[in-house]
Amino acid sequence: MLARVLSSSLIGIDPYLVEVEVNVEGHAFRYSTVGLPELAVRESKDRVISAIKNSGFRFPPKAYTINLAPADIKKEGSAFDLPIAIGILAALGIVIHEDLDDYVLMGELSLDGTLRGVKGALPSAVGVHEAEMKGLILPAQNAREAAVTGNIDVIPVNTLLEAIRFLNGEQVIEPVEVNAEHLFSEAQCYPVDLADVRGQAHVKRALEVAAAGGHNVLMIGPPGSGKTMLAKRFPTILPQMTLDEALETTKIHSIAGMVKTEGLVATRPFRSPHHTISDAALVGGGRIPRPGEVSLAHHGVLFLDELPEFQKNVLEVLRQPLENTEVTISRASMSLTYPANFILLSAMNPCPCGYSSDPRHECTCSSVGIQKYMARISGPLLDRIDLHIEVPAIPFEELSSKQDGESSFEVRKRVQLARDNQIKRFANEPHIHSNADMPPKMIRGLCKVDGESASLLKSAITNLGLSARAYDRILKVSRTIADLSECSEIRVEHISEAIQYRTLDRQLWMV
């Protein structure tokens, strides 16, 4: 007898339906899975057979052939356990649902028939909605995540037996309903605040500029000056996520199996990988490519602490996502593109020992040692970082002050106003969302300067030895500073402040 059940899988972040065809015949036991199954899918045999038996059903000795279509795309993961089991039971006449095409099934089976959570529930739910199907049957722990999309019935089941009874009409299971907007507003809170940081007013100002224009930042200072503390609070001053941004970010985290119980990523992601990370883990990879840290930081912040300690090849792979806001991973079997629109926030010491800029400690590094240390970061990568900020050691007076600084909420209000101006400016440019995204041609049109500002720029470029890309970065940052000042034109003071954020450029450090 032949049965057909629908499931779902992913290519990158894009869902597609998988037909699970089960044919049962004969009286000699044989079990085969075809349709390019990966190891986890092939191993489902033992899980499925044990789950069926431990749920109280016979598993007669017959020839079982399971086909996963389309057969030319590799299938991976354990989410096919539930549809394979239901397909077998339907072919045996135990599941008698008149039309199994109403639902898409996903879920990993334990040996006792209970269901475990799976990855990719949210994008799969989106695929079910786009296919205009009735609903999705999946493990209860994934239900809230899948229900965020709305418009489909999300049926939570805890065991294989529950799924069978629901399909046979023997048990009523109410679909999970989630008010995405209400959940989104409830989850928009951060456990930290910029007011926690004492002193460092000029660094906070620079981070405000970076947040307002979506600019990349490098902080340079001695150990204990507050670089990591500032970095962790940087997402709190970014504009609040929109619901569309939250859904797109949640899709990526869902693929990685990192969505929490609330089912929605509502705050800006903050990813801080260790400096021992590989290039594949940073940008994504694997035999079947999975999203890396740059994609998990989509619509948020990627923080690289101790920047020179990262392997050179790891830092160099950042060039494509920084320029294109996406990363393409190519393998022999496929090529996948993941979104990677993030702000790069990095930190480093001024020298190997860390104390060359700290008057309270003696630096033990030679000039040659400092040059070699700085040379670990390539010029092209530094050029892609808009703001270089010196973070000095905090004086005791500021450290012991009981007066709180500005809260993240107050700073974020100014940042949001500047971003609103940029949204209007780039209303007809669907791929440009902030000043940092402007291509060179647009910079020339939107970042015009007067004679005095042009003279200041010329002097800075000549004396600091900045590259053409650094010149464009100065203009972009100047435009952002003008937006924060609610000025339609770029003035000389805006140019001056933007140049100040390039004084730690590579060539200056090598003098």
Side-chain angles (χ1 to χ4, degrees):
M1 186 175 177
L2 179 67
R4 177 178 174 271
V5 179
L6 290 177
S7 188
S8 178
S9 191
L10 302 170
I11 300 178
I13 62 172
D14 300 319
Y16 68 97
L17 293 181
V18 176
E19 293 184 11
V20 180
E21 298 175 318
V22 179
N23 187 61
V24 179
E25 59 186 3
H27 299 284
F29 179 75
R30 180 175 58 83
Y31 189 109
S32 62
T33 305
V34 297
L36 289 183
E38 289 293 308
L39 181 60
V41 183
R42 294 198 300 270
E43 287 182 344
S44 67
K45 168 188 171 181
D46 296 320
R47 294 193 297 271
V48 167
I49 293 174
S50 296
I52 290 174
K53 290 181 177 179
N54 290 323
S55 296
F57 302 100
R58 288 184 62 249
F59 193 87
K62 294 179 179 291
Y64 298 87
T65 303
I66 294 94
N67 178 45
L68 306 176
D72 60 340
I73 301 176
K74 287 185 177 181
K75 318 301 187 306
E76 65 161 348
S78 56
F80 294 109
D81 289 5
L82 178 61
I84 289 174
I86 295 295
I88 290 173
L89 293 171
L92 293 172
I94 297 172
V95 173
I96 56 176
H97 195 277
E98 293 181 358
D99 191 358
L100 287 174
D101 291 346
D102 286 349
Y103 292 96
V104 168
L105 289 84
M106 300 174 63
E108 176 186 336
L109 285 171
S110 299
L111 298 183
D112 62 355
T114 59
L115 282 167
R116 292 193 174 105
V118 295
K119 300 177 182 178
L122 176 57
S124 294
V126 172
V128 171
H129 172 60
E130 292 174 348
E132 299 181 351
M133 299 183 65
K134 185 175 182 180
L136 178 64
I137 300 175
L138 79 174
Q141 52 262 57
N142 295 121
R144 285 179 62 82
E145 175 189 339
V148 166
T149 59
N151 302 315
I152 63 169
D153 291 344
V154 176
I155 308 299
V157 290
N158 294 295
T159 65
L160 174 61
L161 190 58
E162 278 189 16
I164 295 168
R165 288 174 175 171
F166 171 78
L167 290 170
N168 285 344
E170 300 170 356
Q171 180 176 347
V172 176
I173 301 178
E174 293 297 328
V176 173
E177 294 184 0
V178 171
N179 186 326
E181 293 186 358
H182 179 69
L183 176 65
F184 178 63
S185 62
E186 277 191 342
Q188 281 191 324
C189 60
Y190 293 92
V192 295
D193 195 280
L194 194 64
D196 301 334
V197 181
R198 297 288 186 267
Q200 306 292 19
H202 75 288
V203 183
K204 293 178 183 178
R205 165 63 179 178
L207 292 179
E208 179 181 340
V209 172
H215 302 289
N216 301 319
V217 182
L218 170 62
M219 296 184 289
I220 306 177
S225 57
K227 302 186 294 297
T228 302
M229 189 176 185
L230 285 160
K232 289 181 178 179
R233 285 151 181 78
F234 181 60
T236 68
I237 65 172
L238 291 171
Q240 286 192 335
M241 293 183 81
T242 64
L243 183 56
D244 287 342
E245 287 177 335
L247 288 172
E248 189 175 4
T249 302
T250 305
K251 280 185 185 180
I252 301 170
H253 285 243
S254 175
I255 294 167
M258 299 173 61
V259 177
K260 298 180 181 179
T261 53
E262 58 266 22
L264 190 66
V265 178
T267 55
R268 299 281 177 186
F270 179 81
R271 304 296 301 176
S272 180
H274 192 260
H275 60 77
T276 56
I277 190 172
S278 67
D279 53 354
L282 186 63
V283 300
R287 190 162 43 86
I288 295 180
R290 281 286 176 258
E293 292 291 334
V294 298
S295 296
L296 294 171
H298 185 55
H299 290 315
V301 178
L302 176 66
F303 177 52
L304 302 184
D305 201 4
E306 304 297 342
L307 189 64
E309 302 300 330
F310 285 79
Q311 294 293 324
K312 194 175 185 67
N313 65 305
V314 173
L315 294 179
E316 293 307 305
V317 297
L318 284 172
R319 292 194 197 181
Q320 184 204 15
L322 285 175
E323 287 293 327
N324 302 331
T325 67
E326 63 181 20
V327 58
T328 300
I329 309 164
S330 297
R331 295 293 181 267
S333 59
M334 65 180 65
S335 180
L336 298 178
T337 298
Y338 288 108
N341 186 10
F342 60 91
I343 295 178
L344 176 63
L345 182 59
S346 51
M348 61 181 291
N349 295 329
C351 63
C353 78
Y355 295 111
S356 67
S357 62
D358 189 349
R360 301 173 302 180
H361 295 84
E362 181 181 356
C363 175
T364 59
C365 305
S366 66
S367 58
V368 174
I370 295 176
Q371 288 183 11
K372 287 182 178 180
Y373 181 73
M374 292 302 303
R376 296 179 188 176
I377 308 171
S378 69
L381 179 60
L382 273 180
D383 277 346
R384 287 170 171 81
I385 299 176
D386 301 346
L387 289 83
H388 305 167
I389 313 166
E390 187 173 8
V391 185
I394 306 174
F396 175 77
E397 292 75 14
E398 294 182 0
L399 194 61
S400 59
S401 173
K402 296 182 180 180
Q403 184 176 359
D404 288 338
E406 259 191 316
S407 68
S408 295
F409 176 75
E410 293 298 324
V411 177
R412 188 169 60 239
K413 285 196 298 184
R414 295 195 296 269
V415 168
Q416 187 65 63
L417 286 173
R419 283 290 184 104
D420 290 342
N421 288 334
Q422 292 166 52
I423 291 172
K424 294 176 184 176
R425 180 180 301 137
F426 305 124
N428 298 323
E429 302 289 342
H431 301 296
I432 299 177
H433 306 95
S434 63
N435 289 334
D437 299 332
M438 287 191 292
K441 184 177 180 180
M442 189 173 289
I443 293 173
R444 303 295 180 266
L446 296 177
C447 300
K448 295 179 180 178
V449 295
D450 56 24
E452 186 180 2
S453 299
S455 177
L456 180 60
L457 271 171
K458 179 181 178 181
S459 176
I461 295 297
T462 303
N463 294 335
L464 294 180
L466 302 180
S467 67
R469 185 180 281 116
Y471 172 78
D472 287 345
R473 303 286 175 184
I474 290 174
L475 290 176
K476 288 181 182 182
V477 174
S478 300
R479 179 65 268 171
T480 300
I481 296 169
D483 289 339
L484 283 169
S485 302
E486 299 184 45
C487 294
S488 58
E489 298 178 351
I490 296 176
R491 298 174 181 171
V492 67
E493 59 266 27
H494 305 146
I495 294 286
S496 178
E497 183 177 351
I499 292 172
Q500 173 185 315
Y501 298 136
R502 300 297 304 190
T503 53
L504 300 181
D505 212 332
R506 179 185 177 88
Q507 292 191 16
L508 184 61
W509 272 94
M510 286 193 168
V511 172

